[in-house]
Amino acid sequence: MRCMVIVKATKDSEAGVMPKQKLLAEMGKFNEELVKAGVMLAGDGLQPSSKGKRIRFSGEKRTVIDGPFAETKELIAGYWLWQVRSMEEAVEWVKRCPNPHDGESEIEIRQVFEADDFGAEFTPELRKQEEDIRERAAGNKK
């Protein structure tokens, strides 16, 4: 199963406080372990929400909202995309992760939908289209 592992933001990460060298080294080592185990598919840290935008949809109307966004505890500071056998395996990996922030931190794990999760609504034509898009997107990587 694939899952997104979400590092929640803190006041410091939202203020643009960069991690110390020690944490960067620890995270680098942890990421190496994930890659060697065939778990890590992708991962990155995110800039503070002050540099972000949100687009609100209301029917056909689109409204652009500039960051920063309220409720720091609901924001994302970084993520990984992992391929694991189970949610339990993902939890075990997160338990091994260095604390991503000084003080208290929180990491959330969310399972990614797979094609079979959508049932009959995801027709063979739509599945083919999705496969083609994924192949072309993989070709965009540099």
Side-chain angles (χ1 to χ4, degrees), residues 91-104:
V91 167
E92 290 305 313
W93 276 107
V94 171
K95 285 180 175 180
R96 294 172 55 187
C97 180
N99 187 344
H101 302 290
D102 287 336
E104 286 196 18

Side-chain angles (χ1 to χ4, degrees), residues 2-5 39-43 79-83 112:
R2 289 181 303 150
C3 62
M4 179 170 266
V5 180
V39 170
M40 186 170 162
L41 302 174
Y79 72 95
W80 287 280
L81 186 59
W82 291 352
Q83 179 74 50
V112 174

Side-chain angles (χ1 to χ4, degrees), residues 55-65:
I55 293 79
R56 178 171 290 133
F57 290 71
S58 180
E60 296 297 316
K61 184 178 176 188
R62 308 294 186 262
T63 304
V64 177
I65 303 159

Side-chain angles (χ1 to χ4, degrees), residues 66-113:
D66 295 326
F69 308 122
E71 295 298 323
T72 300
K73 66 181 186 221
E74 300 299 324
L75 299 174
I76 299 170
Y79 72 95
W80 287 280
L81 186 59
W82 291 352
Q83 179 74 50
V84 292
R85 290 182 297 278
S86 65
M87 182 61 77
E88 292 74 23
E89 181 185 2
V91 167
E92 290 305 313
W93 276 107
V94 171
K95 285 180 175 180
R96 294 172 55 187
C97 180
N99 187 344
H101 302 290
D102 287 336
E104 286 196 18
S105 299
E106 196 169 291
I107 294 179
E108 179 179 333
I109 306 168
R110 302 275 304 274
Q111 187 171 347
V112 174
F113 277 112

Side-chain angles (χ1 to χ4, degrees), residues 12 15 21 23 32 42 55 60 67 72 89-90 105 114 119 127:
D12 281 348
Q21 182 180 4
L23 177 58
E32 278 290 328
I55 293 79
E60 296 297 316
T72 300
E89 181 185 2
S105 299
E114 301 296 347
R127 286 176 188 255

Side-chain angles (χ1 to χ4, degrees), residues 116-134:
D116 290 343
D117 295 326
F118 294 102
E121 293 295 317
F122 201 44
T123 65
E125 295 80 18
L126 292 172
R127 286 176 188 255
K128 175 72 170 116
Q129 179 188 36
E130 178 70 16
E131 289 171 11
D132 291 348
I133 289 169
R134 286 185 185 273

